[in-house]
Amino acid sequence: MGASRVLLCCVVLIQLFAGQADAQRSSSPWQTLSGDAPLVIARGGFSGLFPDSSFNAYDFAKQTSVAGAALWCDVQLTKDGAGICFPDLKLNNASTVEDVYPNRQKTYSVNGVSTQGWFTIDFSLRDLISNVKLNRGILSRSEKFNGIYAIMTVEDVTTQIKPESFWLNVQYDAFYAQHNLSMSSFLISASTTVSIDYISSPEVNFFKKIAGRFGRNGPSFVFQFLGKEDFEPTTNRTYGSILSNLTFVKTFASGILVPKSYILPLNDKQYLLLPPASLVLDAHKAGLQVYVSGFVNDNDIAHDYSSDPVSEYLSFVDNGNFSVDGVLSDFPITASASIVDFLVISKNGASGDYPGCTDMAYDKAIKDGADVIDCSVQMSSDGKPFCAHSIDLSNITNIAQTPFTKRSTHVPEISSNDGMYTFSLTWSEIQTLKPAISNPYRVYNMFRNPNEKNSGKFILLSDFLNLAKTSTSLSGVLISVEKAVYLREKQGLDVVKAVLDTLTETGYSNGSTTKTKVMIQSTNSSVLVDFKKQSSKYETVYKVEEKIGDISDSAIEDIKKFANAVVIGKETVFPLFDDGFIIRQTNVVEKLHKSKLPVYVEVFQNEFVSQPFDFFSDPTVEINSYVSGAGIDGTITEFPFTAARYKRNRCLGTKESLAPPYMSPVRPGFFLNLVNAIPPAQAPNPVFTDDDVTEPPLPPVTAKSPTSSPGTSFTNAQAPRPSGQTRLTLSLRLSVFASLLLL
């Protein structure tokens, strides 16, 4: 019952179906050649995290992949004819061979190219098994597993891992033949004890050698295409020319393996060149299955996919026109998930795709399936409330290239640096500025959607509310209010009143006019208390800015007096070790839930550098671990499409005992234990107490002097603390001083 339920519910390869957006999938057959679900092929096992072809890479791939996934082994031969699984015939890039045998480097001609390195043909199996360990082959990946695992033979993989499906790739048959080693003889011999399901190679003559030698029930033969301009070594034809004659390929193979670019090429700006090539349809017409290589979560993803690898996979297997027959991936867990009742809340709209808080970001968030869209309210100098994710326009617009730069001012209550603030410009002046997309990972040379980096326009809070009211898919809006004390005392602007008035003007104060739920968010309890005092129609959400390790019962009781829900950061749920691994899971979510407070977590992003290594460079795995593992009630995300698709997965309601392994949330601390890494002694994240919650009431609005300029009268004010809730307003300092006098 369990197995059939899983296969019926999750007949999706792990990478491709984190969430199935197309409602027709349940009734439509796959557009593969056979009509079966595409095959997941784990290249070297789970090589996106562990060293390629290591025991843990294979074991973890088997545990976390969909049933029937194939484990890929690049077969290399030692000088005594043993077959090992290793990603290249040179050992030095992904093993410790250079350290163990520093004097055994040699130079050989490989397919006509002089190549230097440590070659498998110069070592016996014993040389390698006894002394050499595996390393990561891609330097951007974790080095924590280097030097731990031994090289495995083909037989080791089958006896120790017992793969459901085994794929052997033979990259250099001609090279081995030049050195009196026969790959075909090894494979024929190995097949008597090893179950081989697929054999691939980029060499035509190799298939001629093994044709007919495995019997009728032998493995499937798959011809591998390299670069279109590269020459196939045994025919002296380019792979591009061979591609034009698929009927020739059909004479010796039942399938082809091609790079992603053969089907969906990219331009020099990393955008897709559409429409896709006709290769899949042409190959299927010729009776050839099509497998695609090059899928990784941490590199080479087109901007069109918003850094989301699942979207990339879906474009190859579920685009409505064709489906490839399998994908070769370093991350065979990609795209797991299950349906749970949680909110998808945008962070400044779809700010991963467009400049945040613009009309285009909000339109995209609604289209992508967000349940709630958000507006961070800022105030112009003429009192207009509008949506912008920073009070400092220099962070979010092109203002530095305009004459408005002369209005730069120093406001220590907001920042230790000078800024060009929203309250220094009128709304009409702000409308002349171009918004700028956020690039939080610029330091990694990662840029978001460059073609749309200045697209869209900022909108008034009233326009935002009217947009949400006319949407048929949204369940609510979240309005964020910050810097209320400063705006009241120093700028004569009452942001709380502005928000309440706008809600009334747009019909939100009358529950019969709109069914859209309104949530008011702030890091200041005084703001939420003021909203509650003036209107009980809206839900209030308290945001905890700090990374906290625990929360006191008294703090929770105080929060419940003025808030209906709580927002916390991701590291408050899963604290991180410095090297990017999760240490543990806190009990903060559990304690808030016991007090009937929903918990929303921010901020979810698709870029792989935003995620701990535990999540396999996969944003959907991360979401699943927070939703299914930690039990949060909502994700606040810059990429609503990813979370919305995860939410729609029809497999998500499966009971844990029936769920496939890849739907299990990541276990905090699991990978640190694997490498025996003990986090250094360090101060734990603080406990959040009632002292962190309690604030004095909001001060009255003080009329702004018409002759003063923003910030000039307050240069001696204390700057905000580098961490913690930012509540160092003048009224708070006076309140603390008064309290001390009473002691």
Side-chain angles (χ1 to χ4, degrees):
M1 174 64 180
S4 61
R5 171 69 184 274
V6 168
L7 288 174
L8 177 63
C9 181
C10 300
V11 64
V12 287
L13 50 166
I14 179 70
Q15 288 96 332
L16 315 180
F17 307 98
Q20 186 45 260
D22 184 357
Q24 296 180 352
R25 167 55 59 217
S26 58
S27 58
S28 300
W30 289 103
Q31 293 178 292
T32 56
L33 183 63
S34 65
D36 295 331
L39 177 69
V40 179
I41 312 158
R43 193 187 69 83
F46 210 122
S47 56
L49 179 64
F50 299 100
D52 192 304
S53 306
S54 64
F55 176 87
N56 263 29
Y58 284 127
D59 187 49
F60 205 70
K62 181 182 177 183
Q63 290 183 45
T64 58
S65 297
V66 70
L71 299 186
W72 166 287
C73 164
D74 284 294
V75 184
Q76 313 299 339
L77 295 179
T78 64
K79 70 177 182 180
D80 47 353
I84 60 171
C85 293
F86 195 83
D88 192 20
L89 55 77
K90 291 197 306 175
L91 294 161
N92 42 293
N93 184 50
S95 80
T96 61
V97 69
E98 189 172 351
D99 299 324
V100 178
Y101 301 108
N103 299 319
R104 295 179 69 171
Q105 184 181 27
K106 289 190 178 181
T107 300
Y108 291 107
S109 176
V110 181
N111 294 337
V113 178
S114 180
T115 306
Q116 190 176 50
W118 283 255
F119 290 80
T120 62
I121 61 172
D122 294 318
F123 298 88
S124 68
L125 179 61
R126 183 173 181 177
D127 290 337
L128 299 180
I129 297 297
S130 301
N131 302 307
V132 178
K133 302 296 182 183
L134 296 169
N135 285 343
R136 60 178 178 175
I138 296 176
L139 295 181
S140 62
R141 294 173 178 172
S142 176
E143 63 181 4
K144 291 296 183 181
F145 305 106
N146 282 0
I148 297 175
Y149 306 105
I151 292 174
M152 300 185 74
T153 66
V154 171
E155 292 80 5
D156 288 338
V157 176
T158 57
T159 56
Q160 297 178 30
I161 307 298
K162 297 180 173 61
E164 292 185 57
S165 183
F166 200 22
W167 186 309
L168 301 184
N169 182 56
V170 177
Q171 192 83 8
Y172 300 103
D173 174 66
F175 173 81
Y176 287 115
Q178 291 170 7
H179 297 275
N180 299 316
L181 292 169
S182 174
M183 184 66 73
S184 57
S185 296
F186 166 76
L187 293 175
I188 299 301
S189 175
S191 67
T192 60
T193 56
V194 173
S195 178
I196 305 171
D197 300 282
Y198 300 87
I199 296 177
S200 59
S201 177
E203 299 181 7
V204 172
N205 282 0
F206 168 74
F207 289 105
K208 294 180 179 179
K209 293 180 184 178
I210 62 174
R213 302 184 63 183
F214 288 92
R216 297 183 60 181
N217 297 321
S220 299
F221 296 158
V222 179
F223 182 63
Q224 180 183 12
F225 284 81
L226 304 181
K228 289 184 178 180
E229 303 303 319
D230 293 338
F231 281 86
E232 193 280 322
T234 61
T235 63
N236 204 32
R237 295 173 57 189
T238 65
Y239 287 99
S241 68
I242 296 175
L243 187 68
S244 64
N245 190 0
L246 292 176
T247 54
F248 165 69
V249 178
K250 179 62 177 172
T251 62
F252 59 84
S254 60
I256 58 174
L257 173 65
V258 299
K260 293 184 300 184
S261 60
Y262 272 49
I263 299 171
L264 288 174
L266 304 180
N267 65 19
D268 56 3
K269 292 184 178 181
Q270 286 292 105
Y271 284 92
L272 292 174
L273 292 173
L274 296 174
S278 62
L279 171 60
V280 178
L281 297 176
D282 294 341
H284 284 176
K285 186 176 180 180
L288 288 166
Q289 293 182 312
V290 180
Y291 303 95
V292 185
S293 63
F295 288 98
V296 295
N297 293 2
D298 50 6
N299 190 29
D300 194 28
I301 297 178
H303 291 299
D304 308 71
Y305 301 127
S306 302
S307 301
D308 180 1
V310 174
S311 293
E312 180 182 40
Y313 286 114
L314 288 170
S315 69
F316 283 86
V317 304
D318 196 25
N319 58 39
N321 296 316
F322 62 80
S323 173
V324 300
D325 299 275
V327 290
L328 177 63
S329 175
D330 292 15
F331 295 85
I333 196 174
T334 298
S336 48
S338 41
I339 273 184
V340 189
D341 185 16
F342 73 99
L343 289 177
V344 177
I345 306 171
S346 73
K347 181 70 172 179
N348 308 315
S351 55
D353 295 300
Y354 292 97
C357 295
T358 61
D359 55 344
M360 296 185 74
Y362 290 129
D363 288 341
K364 182 74 160 54
I366 294 171
K367 180 182 177 182
D368 285 350
D371 300 307
V372 176
I373 56 173
D374 68 308
C375 170
S376 296
V377 178
Q378 311 298 341
M379 298 292 288
S380 64
S381 63
D382 51 346
K384 300 288 187 182
F386 67 100
C387 302
H389 59 97
S390 174
I391 196 171
D392 186 351
L393 292 167
S394 62
N395 295 330
I396 60 173
T397 71
N398 70 330
I399 193 171
Q401 287 79 50
T402 72
F404 296 127
T405 53
K406 63 186 178 182
R407 302 193 194 180
S408 175
T409 186
H410 184 59
V411 182
E413 294 95 333
I414 297 176
S415 173
S416 58
N417 300 316
D418 290 354
M420 288 170 274
Y421 296 103
T422 62
F423 48 75
S424 298
L425 279 73
T426 65
W427 171 239
S428 61
E429 289 173 329
I430 291 170
Q431 286 180 291
T432 66
L433 302 175
K434 289 184 178 181
I437 200 167
S438 173
N439 287 300
Y441 302 107
R442 181 187 297 269
V443 68
Y444 298 100
N445 204 32
M446 297 179 68
F447 298 92
R448 291 175 170 176
N449 204 4
N451 280 359
E452 306 291 348
K453 63 182 180 181
N454 297 117
S455 296
K457 61 183 180 180
F458 295 120
I459 60 176
L460 291 168
L461 175 61
S462 57
D463 294 329
F464 168 83
L465 292 171
N466 285 325
L467 173 66
K469 188 166 58 175
T470 58
S471 170
T472 59
S473 61
L474 292 175
S475 63
V477 294
L478 185 146
I479 300 170
S480 180
V481 176
E482 302 295 344
K483 308 294 188 294
V485 172
Y486 172 80
L487 291 172
R488 283 191 174 199
E489 289 190 328
K490 310 302 183 184
Q491 298 300 323
L493 297 169
D494 190 346
V495 63
V496 173
K497 183 178 185 300
V499 169
L500 288 170
D501 288 349
T502 307
L503 285 167
T504 300
E505 292 166 7
T506 52
Y508 280 79
S509 62
N510 184 349
S512 61
T513 303
T514 176
K515 301 299 181 183
T516 307
K517 179 173 65 175
V518 175
M519 297 186 286
I520 309 293
Q521 173 185 288
S522 182
T523 58
N524 297 109
S525 60
S526 57
V527 169
L528 299 180
V529 168
D530 204 47
F531 269 104
K532 282 288 190 183
K533 185 185 302 182
Q534 299 192 53
S535 177
S536 59
K537 295 182 175 69
Y538 312 120
E539 293 188 12
T540 48
V541 181
Y542 184 56
K543 179 178 175 179
V544 179
E545 284 184 307
E546 298 100 322
K547 300 173 187 177
I548 62 174
D550 198 354
I551 186 168
S552 69
D553 293 338
S554 58
I556 295 175
E557 289 305 309
D558 280 353
I559 292 171
K560 288 178 65 178
K561 294 174 183 177
F562 60 83
N564 304 104
V566 177
V567 169
I568 57 178
K570 292 192 296 185
E571 286 195 53
T572 289
V573 183
F574 295 124
L576 295 183
F577 185 38
D578 288 342
D579 286 336
F581 287 92
I582 293 173
I583 300 172
R584 60 187 179 90
Q585 179 177 335
T586 71
N587 64 350
V588 173
V589 174
E590 180 184 1
K591 293 178 75 171
L592 290 169
H593 279 170
K594 284 182 178 178
S595 295
K596 309 301 182 185
L597 284 169
V599 181
Y600 310 132
V601 174
E602 69 172 18
V603 57
F604 288 87
Q605 300 163 315
N606 284 357
E607 288 92 350
F608 75 93
V609 293
S610 72
Q611 303 137 16
F613 287 112
D614 307 68
F615 298 132
F616 317 115
S617 303
D618 184 332
T620 311
V621 171
E622 181 180 43
I623 293 170
N624 185 53
S625 294
Y626 277 90
V627 174
S628 296
I632 68 172
D633 303 281
T635 58
I636 300 176
T637 173
E638 295 178 340
F639 296 90
F641 179 81
T642 304
R645 187 197 51 228
Y646 164 83
K647 182 177 179 178
R648 286 193 296 267
N649 189 308
R650 293 184 293 274
C651 297
L652 231 84
T654 308
K655 293 181 180 179
E656 185 175 353
S657 60
L658 297 177
Y662 55 79
M663 293 175 66
S664 300
V666 168
R667 286 181 287 162
F670 175 77
F671 292 107
L672 280 179
N673 290 333
L674 283 181
V675 297
N676 295 318
I678 302 174
Q682 56 187 14
N685 290 337
V687 176
F688 198 71
T689 69
D690 48 351
D691 289 337
D692 297 301
V693 178
T694 305
E695 293 179 343
L698 285 178
V701 177
T702 302
K704 179 184 175 183
S705 171
T707 59
S708 66
S709 59
T712 55
S713 301
F714 317 112
T715 53
N716 293 323
Q718 183 178 351
R721 290 178 292 178
S723 63
Q725 303 286 90
T726 307
R727 302 188 178 90
L728 298 181
T729 62
L730 179 61
S731 62
L732 177 55
R733 293 196 298 275
L734 290 175
S735 174
V736 172
F737 179 68
S739 299
L740 291 173
L741 291 178
L742 294 175
L743 293 177

